[in-house]
Amino acid sequence: MAAYFSDRSFRFLRALARHNERAWFHAHKADYEAHVRAPFQRLLGDLQPALAAISLHYRADPRPVGGSLFRIQRDTRYANDKSPYKSWQGARLFHHRRREVAAPSFYIHLEPGASFVGAGLWHPETHTQRRVRQFIFDNPGAWKAAAHAPAFARRYAHGDSDMLVRPPHGFPRDFAFIDDLRRRNFVATRPLPDATMAGPRLRATLERDLAALAPLVDYLCAALDLEF
């Protein structure tokens, strides 16, 4: 298999972190297109058949506008940091009903020394958090199988340090997964070394991860009455 990213992909992102200004970005935009954006779009297109085999309701969409790839430009309207660009590139493999209702997604993140693959619900609104918590409480056996199976736990971490200080109101403190109910986000992630991101086995690696993360996404879809 051919590689998608390369050392030049990481060199560009590291340089962007050092020179995070519009003039520099526009002077080096061709490098961004050639070594970050275009290979990421190609990767997304190549992942779509494997994703469709997992769920016909999810999309790895390579379109430049309205697709899976996040914009490299930052939204600085309400941020203290006014840097115009992200020093990473990410893509959300989304549910086709994402614009109608809150929906879990798969996610791929490219960043020097900090790339990862993951899935779940990130920053859901309060009413969505409540629905997921109640569903976990009502269906603990399926949650254990989806999010705490031994093979899953060895491979993925529940990457959420933003937790409630106390268990949410209305749930017993001795519930087996009370710490999961304290979460504000319901995600699982696995780091990917730069060598993997720039290597020829990236697509095969991500296809295995999508399949392994699918039970978690399936469970969260069930919690929100979404098709999987």
mmCIF file of all heavy atoms in Angstrom, residues 52-53 63 167-168 193 214:
data_model
loop_
_atom_site.group_PDB
_atom_site.id
_atom_site.type_symbol
_atom_site.label_atom_id
_atom_site.label_comp_id
_atom_site.label_asym_id
_atom_site.label_seq_id
_atom_site.Cartn_x
_atom_site.Cartn_y
_atom_site.Cartn_z
ATOM 1 N N ALA A 52 -18.450 1.745 5.144
ATOM 2 C CA ALA A 52 -19.779 1.303 4.706
ATOM 3 C C ALA A 52 -20.042 -0.144 5.103
ATOM 4 O O ALA A 52 -21.189 -0.519 5.378
ATOM 5 C CB ALA A 52 -19.914 1.478 3.194
ATOM 6 N N ALA A 53 -19.002 -0.967 5.131
ATOM 7 C CA ALA A 53 -19.172 -2.355 5.574
ATOM 8 C C ALA A 53 -19.493 -2.431 7.062
ATOM 9 O O ALA A 53 -20.121 -3.391 7.517
ATOM 10 C CB ALA A 53 -17.909 -3.150 5.266
ATOM 11 N N ARG A 63 -15.016 15.334 0.229
ATOM 12 C CA ARG A 63 -15.298 16.617 -0.409
ATOM 13 C C ARG A 63 -14.585 17.766 0.314
ATOM 14 O O ARG A 63 -14.517 17.795 1.537
ATOM 15 C CB ARG A 63 -16.800 16.891 -0.410
ATOM 16 C CG ARG A 63 -17.607 16.007 -1.336
ATOM 17 C CD ARG A 63 -19.075 16.368 -1.241
ATOM 18 N NE ARG A 63 -19.578 16.157 0.123
ATOM 19 C CZ ARG A 63 -20.726 16.665 0.567
ATOM 20 N NH1 ARG A 63 -21.483 17.415 -0.229
ATOM 21 N NH2 ARG A 63 -21.122 16.429 1.819
ATOM 22 N N PRO A 167 -20.935 12.368 41.286
ATOM 23 C CA PRO A 167 -21.853 11.654 40.394
ATOM 24 C C PRO A 167 -23.078 12.492 40.092
ATOM 25 O O PRO A 167 -23.526 13.280 40.938
ATOM 26 C CB PRO A 167 -22.218 10.394 41.192
ATOM 27 C CG PRO A 167 -21.087 10.215 42.143
ATOM 28 C CD PRO A 167 -20.622 11.600 42.505
ATOM 29 N N PRO A 168 -23.623 12.373 38.892
ATOM 30 C CA PRO A 168 -24.818 13.161 38.569
ATOM 31 C C PRO A 168 -25.990 12.792 39.461
ATOM 32 O O PRO A 168 -26.120 11.651 39.917
ATOM 33 C CB PRO A 168 -25.090 12.808 37.104
ATOM 34 C CG PRO A 168 -24.392 11.516 36.880
ATOM 35 C CD PRO A 168 -23.202 11.521 37.781
ATOM 36 N N PRO A 193 1.547 6.605 16.325
ATOM 37 C CA PRO A 193 2.886 7.190 16.142
ATOM 38 C C PRO A 193 3.028 7.844 14.765
ATOM 39 O O PRO A 193 2.347 7.472 13.801
ATOM 40 C CB PRO A 193 3.816 5.980 16.275
ATOM 41 C CG PRO A 193 3.019 4.927 16.969
ATOM 42 C CD PRO A 193 1.599 5.150 16.563
ATOM 43 N N ALA A 214 -16.418 0.438 16.501
ATOM 44 C CA ALA A 214 -17.823 0.411 16.076
ATOM 45 C C ALA A 214 -18.791 0.034 17.202
ATOM 46 O O ALA A 214 -19.869 0.632 17.291
ATOM 47 C CB ALA A 214 -17.991 -0.527 14.889
#
